Short mmCIF file of all heavy atoms in Angstrom, two decimals:
data_model
loop_
_atom_site.label_atom_id
_atom_site.label_comp_id
_atom_site.label_asym_id
_atom_site.label_seq_id
_atom_site.Cartn_x
_atom_site.Cartn_y
_atom_site.Cartn_z
N PHE A 3 1.21 37.23 -18.80
CA PHE A 3 1.78 37.15 -20.25
C PHE A 3 1.33 38.36 -21.04
O PHE A 3 2.12 38.77 -21.92
CB PHE A 3 1.31 35.86 -20.90
CG PHE A 3 2.01 34.59 -20.32
CD1 PHE A 3 1.24 33.52 -19.91
CD2 PHE A 3 3.37 34.55 -20.17
CE1 PHE A 3 1.92 32.39 -19.43
CE2 PHE A 3 4.03 33.48 -19.67
CZ PHE A 3 3.23 32.32 -19.26
N LEU A 6 3.74 41.00 -20.55
CA LEU A 6 5.07 40.70 -21.15
C LEU A 6 5.22 40.95 -22.67
O LEU A 6 6.27 41.07 -23.09
CB LEU A 6 5.34 39.15 -20.84
CG LEU A 6 5.69 38.78 -19.32
CD1 LEU A 6 5.96 37.30 -19.33
CD2 LEU A 6 6.79 39.59 -18.79
N ALA A 309 13.56 24.22 -24.25
CA ALA A 309 12.56 24.17 -25.37
C ALA A 309 13.50 24.49 -26.56
O ALA A 309 13.94 25.62 -26.66
CB ALA A 309 11.45 25.17 -25.20
N ILE A 330 9.46 36.22 -23.47
CA ILE A 330 9.00 35.05 -24.32
C ILE A 330 7.57 34.68 -23.76
O ILE A 330 7.55 34.31 -22.53
CB ILE A 330 9.99 33.91 -24.34
CG1 ILE A 330 11.34 34.35 -24.89
CG2 ILE A 330 9.44 32.76 -25.22
CD1 ILE A 330 12.45 33.39 -24.83
N VAL A 331 6.59 34.57 -24.61
CA VAL A 331 5.23 34.16 -24.10
C VAL A 331 4.64 33.01 -24.93
O VAL A 331 5.15 32.82 -26.10
CB VAL A 331 4.33 35.35 -24.13
CG1 VAL A 331 4.78 36.52 -23.22
CG2 VAL A 331 4.14 35.89 -25.58
N PRO A 332 3.88 32.25 -24.32
CA PRO A 332 3.19 31.18 -25.12
C PRO A 332 2.12 31.82 -26.07
O PRO A 332 1.51 32.69 -25.68
CB PRO A 332 2.61 30.29 -24.10
CG PRO A 332 2.39 31.23 -22.88
CD PRO A 332 3.38 32.24 -22.94
N GLY A 338 -2.40 26.04 -15.66
CA GLY A 338 -1.48 25.08 -15.05
C GLY A 338 -0.23 25.84 -14.49
O GLY A 338 -0.12 27.04 -14.72
N THR A 339 0.61 25.02 -13.77
CA THR A 339 1.75 25.68 -13.16
C THR A 339 2.83 25.97 -14.12
O THR A 339 2.97 25.31 -15.20
CB THR A 339 2.29 24.78 -12.07
OG1 THR A 339 2.58 23.52 -12.60
CG2 THR A 339 1.39 24.73 -10.87
N LEU A 340 3.59 27.02 -13.82
CA LEU A 340 4.64 27.40 -14.78
C LEU A 340 5.92 26.68 -14.39
O LEU A 340 6.11 26.35 -13.25
CB LEU A 340 4.88 28.97 -14.70
CG LEU A 340 3.61 29.83 -14.97
CD1 LEU A 340 3.97 31.24 -14.88
CD2 LEU A 340 3.09 29.50 -16.38
N GLN A 341 6.70 26.51 -15.45
CA GLN A 341 8.03 25.82 -15.24
C GLN A 341 9.13 26.81 -15.74
O GLN A 341 8.97 27.62 -16.58
CB GLN A 341 8.03 24.57 -16.07
CG GLN A 341 6.86 23.71 -15.84
CD GLN A 341 7.14 22.39 -16.37
OE1 GLN A 341 7.95 22.20 -17.36
NE2 GLN A 341 6.57 21.35 -15.80
N LYS A 342 10.32 26.43 -15.19
CA LYS A 342 11.51 27.23 -15.71
C LYS A 342 12.11 26.53 -16.88
O LYS A 342 12.48 25.39 -16.77
CB LYS A 342 12.48 27.36 -14.58
CG LYS A 342 11.99 28.26 -13.48
CD LYS A 342 13.10 29.01 -12.70
CE LYS A 342 12.54 30.27 -12.14
NZ LYS A 342 12.91 30.53 -10.78
N ILE A 343 12.16 27.30 -17.99
CA ILE A 343 12.60 26.62 -19.23
C ILE A 343 13.68 27.47 -19.94
O ILE A 343 13.50 28.73 -19.96
CB ILE A 343 11.27 26.40 -20.19
CG1 ILE A 343 10.35 25.47 -19.44
CG2 ILE A 343 11.78 25.87 -21.52
CD1 ILE A 343 9.03 25.25 -20.15
N ASP A 344 14.55 26.86 -20.46
CA ASP A 344 15.57 27.60 -21.35
C ASP A 344 15.08 27.49 -22.75
O ASP A 344 14.90 26.35 -23.28
CB ASP A 344 17.02 27.03 -21.28
CG ASP A 344 17.59 27.17 -19.93
OD1 ASP A 344 17.00 27.81 -19.04
OD2 ASP A 344 18.70 26.66 -19.65
N VAL A 345 14.89 28.65 -23.42
CA VAL A 345 14.46 28.57 -24.81
C VAL A 345 15.63 28.81 -25.68
O VAL A 345 16.29 29.84 -25.66
CB VAL A 345 13.34 29.67 -24.97
CG1 VAL A 345 12.90 29.67 -26.50
CG2 VAL A 345 12.13 29.49 -24.13
N ASP A 359 15.78 30.07 -17.95
CA ASP A 359 14.83 30.07 -16.73
C ASP A 359 13.60 30.88 -17.03
O ASP A 359 13.16 31.66 -16.15
CB ASP A 359 15.63 30.66 -15.54
CG ASP A 359 16.55 29.58 -14.97
OD1 ASP A 359 16.19 28.37 -15.11
OD2 ASP A 359 17.56 29.96 -14.43
N ARG A 360 13.01 30.73 -18.20
CA ARG A 360 11.82 31.52 -18.48
C ARG A 360 10.49 30.77 -17.91
O ARG A 360 10.48 29.55 -18.09
CB ARG A 360 11.60 31.76 -19.89
CG ARG A 360 12.72 32.60 -20.55
CD ARG A 360 12.85 33.92 -19.80
NE ARG A 360 13.95 34.72 -20.31
CZ ARG A 360 13.85 35.64 -21.28
NH1 ARG A 360 12.69 35.77 -21.89
NH2 ARG A 360 14.91 36.23 -21.77
N GLU A 361 9.75 31.49 -17.24
CA GLU A 361 8.53 30.87 -16.67
C GLU A 361 7.52 30.66 -17.73
O GLU A 361 6.89 31.65 -18.20
CB GLU A 361 8.04 31.75 -15.47
CG GLU A 361 9.07 31.87 -14.41
CD GLU A 361 8.54 31.89 -13.07
OE1 GLU A 361 7.34 32.39 -12.87
OE2 GLU A 361 9.13 31.31 -12.14
N LEU A 362 7.32 29.44 -18.11
CA LEU A 362 6.38 29.09 -19.19
C LEU A 362 5.52 27.92 -18.70
O LEU A 362 5.98 27.11 -17.90
CB LEU A 362 7.14 28.79 -20.50
CG LEU A 362 7.81 30.00 -21.13
CD1 LEU A 362 8.88 29.53 -22.18
CD2 LEU A 362 6.80 30.87 -21.83
N PRO A 363 4.35 27.74 -19.44
CA PRO A 363 3.60 26.49 -19.10
C PRO A 363 4.28 25.34 -19.59
O PRO A 363 5.20 25.45 -20.49
CB PRO A 363 2.34 26.73 -19.86
CG PRO A 363 2.37 28.04 -20.55
CD PRO A 363 3.72 28.68 -20.34
N GLU A 364 4.01 24.20 -19.03
CA GLU A 364 4.62 22.95 -19.60
C GLU A 364 4.54 22.87 -21.20
O GLU A 364 3.39 23.14 -21.69
CB GLU A 364 3.91 21.73 -18.94
CG GLU A 364 4.20 20.47 -19.65
CD GLU A 364 4.69 19.36 -18.69
OE1 GLU A 364 4.10 19.34 -17.51
OE2 GLU A 364 5.70 18.69 -19.01
N LEU A 365 5.59 22.70 -21.80
CA LEU A 365 5.55 22.75 -23.33
C LEU A 365 5.70 21.36 -23.84
O LEU A 365 6.31 20.47 -23.31
CB LEU A 365 6.74 23.63 -23.82
CG LEU A 365 6.65 25.07 -23.47
CD1 LEU A 365 8.02 25.76 -24.05
CD2 LEU A 365 5.50 25.72 -24.26
N LEU A 371 5.73 29.67 -29.53
CA LEU A 371 6.19 30.71 -28.61
C LEU A 371 6.25 31.99 -29.38
O LEU A 371 6.51 31.97 -30.63
CB LEU A 371 7.45 30.32 -27.92
CG LEU A 371 7.44 29.10 -27.00
CD1 LEU A 371 8.92 28.74 -26.63
CD2 LEU A 371 6.67 29.32 -25.76
#
Side-chain angles (χ1 to χ4, degrees):
F3 289 130
L6 291 180
I330 302 173
V331 298
T339 52
L340 300 180
Q341 309 198 328
K342 289 209 159 137
I343 298 175
D344 293 356
V345 179
D359 283 328
R360 296 308 176 87
E361 300 218 325
L362 289 164
E364 165 126 41
L365 292 175
L371 294 173

